[in-house]
Amino acid sequence: MQRVLENRLANDPSQFGARGARNLIDIIRAANQFDGFSDYPNYDQGVRRRLQQMVNIANNDNDRMQPDFRNFIQNAIDVARLRVAIRDPSSAGLFGWRAAGTGSPGPRFARFRTLAGNTFFTLWS
């Protein structure tokens, strides 16, 4: 996901609805791009509710999904702390993602791979 944001920033952000973007936060805040993040770092109520649900499961010793949610949260923290570039797994570059099964983000996007419940997309040449 971080690679997608970096690729959008480096490749004419206006084509992704982020005209004038100069950094990753501008990409994240761009209108109609990432639902619930237009006022980042302030998340909308729906995003905050989902995050709290994940933390609650991760901290609940009686929830059978606790180990998965703990791993998920720890992985997110680890990636956020990285200070090195994340290698792009696609030679064409990744430029979008959506929840698996929800379709393409638009006609210019080509499916690359589904991983961890998300489908990643390159752009048609």
Side-chain angles (χ1 to χ4, degrees):
M1 292 174 177
Q2 181 177 341
R3 183 78 256 157
V4 167
L5 299 174
E6 290 169 350
N7 286 349
R8 286 183 175 199
L9 181 62
N11 291 278
D12 184 16
S14 64
Q15 70 178 318
F16 305 105
R19 174 176 245 112
R22 294 184 308 255
N23 55 53
L24 295 180
I25 291 174
D26 292 341
I27 299 292
I28 292 167
R29 288 180 177 162
N32 302 315
Q33 297 300 304
F34 301 100
D35 190 34
F37 290 82
S38 61
D39 195 26
Y40 177 84
N42 300 309
Y43 310 108
D44 78 6
Q45 193 65 21
V47 171
R48 287 196 307 235
R49 186 173 36 256
R50 288 189 301 273
L51 290 170
Q52 188 60 57
Q53 288 169 341
M54 287 188 262
V55 170
N56 291 347
I57 292 169
N59 289 323
N60 183 347
D61 292 335
N62 296 316
D63 195 309
R64 65 178 177 75
M65 296 183 348
Q66 182 191 41
D68 291 334
F69 277 75
R70 279 187 177 234
N71 287 336
F72 176 81
I73 290 170
Q74 188 60 56
N75 287 341
I77 291 168
D78 292 346
V79 168
R81 289 182 175 159
L82 282 177
R83 296 294 178 236
V84 297
I86 295 172
R87 186 183 66 78
D88 197 324
S90 166
S91 61
L94 297 178
F95 291 95
W97 81 85
R98 300 215 38 209
T102 60
S104 172
R108 295 184 50 227
F109 291 86
R111 183 186 176 283
F112 173 69
R113 181 180 301 151
T114 298
L115 178 66
N118 293 285
T119 301
F120 292 87
F121 298 86
T122 63
L123 295 176
W124 292 107
S125 351

